[in-house]
Amino acid sequence: LYNAIDLAEIERIRSQKEELRSRIRREQGLPADAFLVTVVARLVAVKRIDRFIDAFGNALFSEPGLTALLVGNGPLYEKLAGRISKSGLQERVRLLGHRRDAKSITAASDLFVLPSTGESFGIAALEAIALEVPVAVFSDAGGPLEFIVDGKNGYVVSDKAALAKCIVACKQKPPAFSPLGTEFNNFGDINNYARRIREIYDEL
């Protein structure tokens, strides 16, 4: 029985995507057509933000106009800030800390990356897919591999070099994945999740 999300809330945010794309870019002082790569995660070791920073830095060699937004807080905040500064990426990789509008930032993005290893499920990635934002995960991501199919609703990359190439490819030719359908709604809808929970308790 998988975790699920509130598709009604997702639909509300998805209906405002164009407005959100403009608002987030204005807030960050970026041009209207800026290409945004977003990570939403707690800043802890298992989330492997370090390998995202390295991959993004490599992608900038080919596409210097990219911007990354890291949404989240945690014990590694200062360490990651230092890594970003040491790599000279302060203007291109922005640590936003905790944001109550994380889903809106995801909706405004051109690519969502979940760099975790051994993720138990990956709610943020599921939300990104529901918001019709391309998602990239690593092949050791764990849970997200149960709902992300490479080339169909996202990308599965093997290492940092592959992620860098993926980011550049998405910038040069935005992907066109299939719209969400009944299969996804049955999988991700919190109402179906709640119904199934009740059925399990009734059976027990």
Side-chain angles (χ1 to χ4, degrees):
L1 182 61
Y2 292 102
N3 287 333
I5 56 180
D6 184 349
L7 290 178
E9 179 193 21
I10 292 294
E11 176 55 34
R12 177 183 60 78
I13 295 172
R14 194 167 60 207
S15 69
Q16 302 170 357
K17 280 188 70 167
E18 290 307 311
E19 176 188 340
L20 291 170
R21 287 179 64 85
S22 298
R23 178 172 70 79
I24 297 301
R25 284 161 178 75
R26 284 198 307 271
E27 175 191 289
Q28 294 297 317
L30 297 169
D33 61 349
F35 189 90
L36 292 184
V37 183
T38 295
V39 175
V40 177
R42 182 163 161 73
L43 305 185
V44 294
V46 72
K47 299 299 183 179
R48 293 303 309 274
I49 307 298
D50 57 320
R51 63 179 175 179
F52 169 76
I53 293 170
D54 292 347
F56 188 81
N58 290 336
L60 284 171
F61 285 114
S62 300
E63 287 288 346
L66 302 167
T67 300
L69 303 181
L70 302 184
V71 181
N73 216 332
L76 294 184
Y77 186 97
E78 294 301 329
K79 183 176 181 179
L80 292 170
R83 190 186 191 99
I84 291 167
S85 178
K86 187 176 180 180
S87 301
L89 299 174
Q90 305 95 310
E91 291 301 312
R92 290 300 172 189
V93 181
R94 304 182 182 189
L95 278 168
L96 303 187
H98 174 72
R99 294 282 298 245
R100 296 177 66 89
D101 61 345
K103 295 185 188 68
S104 296
I105 295 174
T106 295
S109 304
D110 298 289
L111 178 66
F112 181 91
V113 177
L114 185 69
S116 308
T117 181
E119 185 77 46
S120 59
F121 183 69
I123 282 285
L126 186 66
E127 290 172 340
I129 291 174
L131 289 166
E132 298 181 349
V133 176
V135 176
V137 300
F138 283 89
S139 54
D140 62 354
L145 301 179
E146 297 192 38
F147 60 85
I148 294 177
V149 180
D150 187 41
K152 182 178 179 181
N153 63 355
Y155 301 102
V156 179
V157 299
S158 56
D159 53 28
K160 291 186 286 189
L163 177 58
K165 290 179 181 178
C166 177
I167 293 170
V168 171
C170 285
K171 170 67 169 63
Q172 295 176 348
K173 185 179 180 181
F177 292 128
S178 301
L180 302 179
T182 304
E183 182 180 353
F184 179 90
N185 291 340
N186 288 338
F187 173 81
D189 185 7
I190 199 166
N191 295 307
N192 289 329
Y193 174 85
R195 175 184 53 77
R196 184 69 185 117
I197 285 286
R198 288 194 298 269
E199 290 174 352
I200 291 171
Y201 274 90
D202 287 343
E203 291 167 9
L204 291 173

